[in-house]
Amino acid sequence: MSVDGLRRAVRESVSGLPREFWWLWTSTLVNRLGAFVATFMALYLTLDRGYSASYAGLVAALHGLGGVISSLGAGVMTDRLGRRPTLLVAQTATALSVALLGFMRDPVAIAAVAFLVGMASNASRPAVQAMMADIVRPEDRIRAFSLNYWAINLGFAVSSAGAGFIAEYSYLAGFLIEAGMTLVCAVLVFVKLPESRPEGKDSPGGSGESGSVSLLTVLRDGRYMGVVGLSFLIALVFQQGYLGLPVAMGEAGFTPADFGMAIAVNGVLIVVLQLPVTRFIEHRDPGRLLVISSLLAGYGFGLTAFAGSVGVFALTVCVWTLAEIVNAPTQTGLVVRLSPVHGRGRYQGMYTMSWAVASLVAPLMSGFVIDHWGAAWLWGMCAVVGTVAGLGYGLLMRRLPEEGLPEEKLPEERLPREAKEAVVVEKAAEAGAS
């Protein structure tokens, strides 16, 4: 591709998105650049504090449990209090709890604060996704979610490399740097992002439909809960890249450096391919994309059973990373498509919870299967789960309505000028008739 062609591709990938989206994107990038706890918690507890691997696993589980609990609560807050207040509370609480964790020495205190960190850090996700859906046009959402996912992975790749050097100097410095970066995100939200929640019964003075949307409403939405269940299955598969893969490679005689070389392919490919692949899939059938990505994920991990060298392991990582690149923005777009405007927070909270629960179940599943039957069985199960998810998406998407929300379901301030004028005329006609 020529330089002019590359510039044109980049311009097409980023053009047409509102300014508020880019401030939200910047907040995401800054937050991920400061990530430290999630990356080095196990090493911090075992090497620096001298605790056992079992205790480190317990702390990780409590961190994940906090995320499970906060997902639904944050979803309700996002609808009732608004996106902006929820983000401010979540990011401020994350900064304070991360800083506090760095000073904890008692094992019970460490576990308790890690639980709080998990709650606070996960609470911002429903608000971010709901705000993004509010401010971005339906036809641009896949591209917007893809750009946000790209920022997450770019920030994580940079922070992982930098955190290694910081950890050699001081783990406490890593905790304080993450706290400071998270506070920067909170300031960006406060200064640059207006509230985007559509007016409804949950908003002051509103009279919309949100009062009819509760967590029970989400649970009764069978089609949406089907998506939540399928996302849980896919999350179980993707988690094995960071749980089952290092254990399996270690048992096969490979070193941590070998695993690092293989898994690094994941981050590199996402940073390099996320934007061009998104341009390719943006206007294609989401049902077909979800089926293909599920099969690629399942069989990408399934092929790991036949890997015998670092190069072959890296090739299998390439396969399931491509699945991740396609699946992440497409699935997030589907979640928004099935969420009512005035219940986006609750719906996003339920979706976030599916990944949080998977982060709890996946370590138990991989450890049990590898210990009792061997790694080959784990990779075979991944292939089966990916196939089941692909079939599930195929059946689910056959029953979906036409893509995109009708304009009358969008917040009036997000409508095109012609549509706004039509709404005004319609309201005037209704007033005259009454």
Side-chain angles (χ1 to χ4, degrees):
M1 180 182 290
S2 65
V3 175
D4 290 339
L6 181 61
R7 288 176 179 172
R8 184 168 58 254
V10 172
R11 186 165 55 249
E12 290 174 357
S13 297
V14 302
S15 63
L17 295 171
R19 181 178 59 184
E20 293 83 0
F21 165 80
W22 289 111
W23 284 116
L24 194 59
W25 183 89
T26 301
S27 175
T28 298
L29 179 61
V30 171
N31 191 29
R32 297 309 297 169
L33 285 172
F36 182 86
V37 172
T39 307
F40 283 91
M41 175 61 79
L43 291 177
Y44 166 69
L45 292 176
T46 55
L47 297 182
D48 191 65
R49 299 260 64 88
Y51 293 113
S52 66
S54 298
Y55 174 77
L58 173 63
V59 172
L62 288 172
H63 183 276
L65 179 62
V68 172
I69 293 173
S70 69
S71 297
L72 298 181
V76 174
M77 285 179 60
T78 297
D79 284 337
R80 288 192 173 275
L81 299 181
R83 285 65 160 137
R84 186 169 177 260
T86 303
L87 278 173
L88 285 170
V89 170
Q91 291 174 343
T92 303
T94 300
L96 295 176
S97 58
V98 166
L100 181 63
L101 183 59
F103 291 99
M104 292 295 100
R105 295 294 179 268
D106 181 76
V108 176
I110 290 174
V113 178
F115 174 77
L116 295 178
V117 171
M119 288 189 66
S121 60
N122 208 57
S124 62
R125 294 178 183 177
V128 168
Q129 293 174 340
M131 179 176 278
M132 205 167 290
D134 295 337
I135 63 181
V136 175
R137 295 177 302 177
E139 60 268 27
D140 292 331
R141 283 176 185 155
I142 295 296
R143 183 158 53 99
F145 288 130
S146 180
L147 285 165
N148 191 64
Y149 190 69
W150 183 79
I152 290 172
N153 283 277
L154 176 62
F156 183 76
V158 174
S159 68
S160 296
F165 293 103
I166 294 171
E168 291 185 2
Y169 170 72
S170 168
Y171 279 95
L172 177 59
F175 285 103
L176 295 179
I177 289 173
E178 177 168 349
M181 298 285 272
T182 308
L183 277 179
V184 170
C185 295
V187 171
L188 282 176
V189 169
F190 180 77
V191 174
K192 295 295 185 179
L193 287 176
E195 178 56 56
S196 67
R197 178 184 56 171
E199 289 188 1
K201 288 183 181 179
D202 279 352
S203 58
S207 57
E209 63 184 35
S210 62
S212 62
V213 179
S214 65
L215 288 177
L216 187 60
T217 306
V218 184
L219 292 172
R220 287 175 174 171
D221 190 337
R223 185 169 56 191
Y224 182 79
M225 291 306 296
V227 173
V228 171
L230 293 172
S231 72
F232 168 75
L233 294 180
I234 288 297
L236 280 180
V237 174
F238 283 132
Q239 292 272 347
Q240 299 312 319
Y242 307 95
L243 298 169
L245 184 59
V247 174
M249 289 185 69
E251 289 191 348
F254 293 94
T255 66
D258 293 331
F259 167 71
M261 291 176 61
I263 200 64
V265 174
N266 174 259
V268 171
L269 285 182
I270 290 176
V271 171
V272 172
L273 295 181
Q274 184 72 62
L275 298 186
V277 169
T278 298
R279 291 183 66 242
F280 178 76
I281 69 173
E282 188 173 2
H283 300 295
R284 298 181 184 272
D285 178 19
R288 186 173 300 173
L289 294 174
L290 289 170
V291 171
I292 292 173
S293 64
S294 298
L295 294 176
L296 279 176
Y299 290 102
F301 278 100
L303 290 172
T304 309
F306 304 99
S309 67
V310 175
V312 178
F313 276 114
L315 286 176
T316 66
V317 172
C318 289
V319 176
W320 59 259
T321 297
L322 183 59
E324 187 179 358
I325 290 171
V326 174
N327 181 272
T330 307
Q331 186 166 252
T332 308
L334 176 62
V335 168
V336 173
R337 179 177 166 190
L338 295 178
S339 305
V341 171
H342 297 285
R344 280 176 179 155
R346 293 173 173 89
Y347 273 69
Q348 291 287 353
M350 187 65 71
Y351 171 66
T352 301
M353 190 187 71
S354 70
W355 284 81
V357 173
S359 71
L360 280 178
V361 175
L364 302 176
M365 182 186 82
S366 60
F368 181 85
V369 173
I370 291 175
D371 286 344
H372 288 78
W373 300 310
W377 276 88
L378 177 64
W379 308 131
M381 288 178 62
C382 286
V384 171
V385 172
T387 302
V388 171
L391 292 173
Y393 279 120
L395 293 173
L396 179 75
M397 297 300 286
R398 289 174 58 185
R399 300 186 292 113
L400 285 183
E402 292 296 319
E403 182 164 9
L405 292 169
E407 285 190 336
E408 63 267 23
K409 295 298 183 181
L410 291 172
E412 188 173 327
E413 66 272 12
R414 297 294 304 149
L415 296 176
R417 179 174 57 83
E418 295 82 359
K420 288 183 181 179
E421 292 173 353
V423 171
V424 172
V425 171
E426 182 180 350
K427 288 182 177 178
E430 291 177 352
S434 60

